[in-house]
Amino acid sequence: MSQGGGAAAGNGVSPGNVPVCYYGQAGRVPAALERRVRAAELFLRCAACGLAVLAAALLGADRQTRVFFSVEKEARYTDMQSLAFLVIANGMAACYSLLQGARCLVSILTGGVLISRPMAWAIFSCDQVMAYFTISAVAVAMEAAMIGKYGNTQFQWMKTCHLYKRFCAQAGGAVACAVAASLNMVGISLVSAFNLFRLYGSGKGRK
């Protein structure tokens, strides 16, 4: 019995007492690992959606009015193209994460398994694009925030956050939420990469 079990293990076949999920002709993943991967993906997508919505909402509602020599000046996120770009990027990331989160939830409830390589490639590619898109938007917004906070003497750009403290504080919170959302998108891209390349690794190892 021990020799037979060893031979079966050497061939990569489950001995019969370990639940596995099968992918294709030769791929196999333990059911416990599959459940963890699905739960992690759902959590990351929900977190990314919530953080992106919070970042966009904070920036969209962020405004402050000051009076300079009897002239009112209202600061809004649309006054800076980098912040407007961040709102658009987080809105797109929130919508995308919501759709993909719904797909993950349906997959968990129905017990479906992603075995289609074209679909896995499509999800992986979209996740990569959204991750890079959100990171680039955060980078641009952080650079603009630093200029607003400290200015730039070489270009004679004056700092403005001491004039609009509340506006800058709320914008800083929005940028922090956007950073957290982009980190979640990076984690999602890693999970989708795992879901994709495990469809190839098992068959190759068997050969």
Side-chain angles (χ1 to χ4, degrees), residues 55-134:
L58 286 174
L59 283 177
D62 192 10
R63 56 179 53 88
Q64 183 180 1
T65 303
R66 290 289 305 272
V67 179
F68 301 97
F69 303 105
S70 301
V71 178
E72 289 188 355
K73 173 61 178 177
E74 184 181 34
R76 303 182 63 181
Y77 78 94
T78 53
D79 296 333
M80 301 181 65
Q81 294 182 354
S82 58
L83 296 182
F85 177 53
L86 185 63
V87 171
I88 295 173
N90 279 274
M92 295 177 61
C95 294
Y96 175 77
S97 298
L98 181 62
L99 293 176
Q100 290 290 352
R103 178 191 60 81
C104 293
L105 182 60
V106 171
S107 177
I108 292 175
L109 295 178
T110 59
V113 178
L114 181 62
I115 60 176
S116 173
R117 289 183 180 180
M119 179 62 69
W121 270 110
I123 295 174
F124 170 74
S125 301
C126 292
D127 288 342
Q128 292 289 321
V129 170
M130 290 305 303
Y132 285 118
F133 187 52
T134 54

Side-chain angles (χ1 to χ4, degrees), residues 119-158:
M119 179 62 69
W121 270 110
I123 295 174
F124 170 74
S125 301
C126 292
D127 288 342
Q128 292 289 321
V129 170
M130 290 305 303
Y132 285 118
F133 187 52
T134 54
I135 290 175
S136 62
V138 167
V140 173
M142 290 182 67
E143 182 179 4
M146 295 299 293
I147 294 176
K149 178 68 175 179
Y150 301 104
N152 191 314
T153 56
Q154 294 180 353
F155 292 94
Q156 297 181 354
W157 293 340
M158 62 178 295

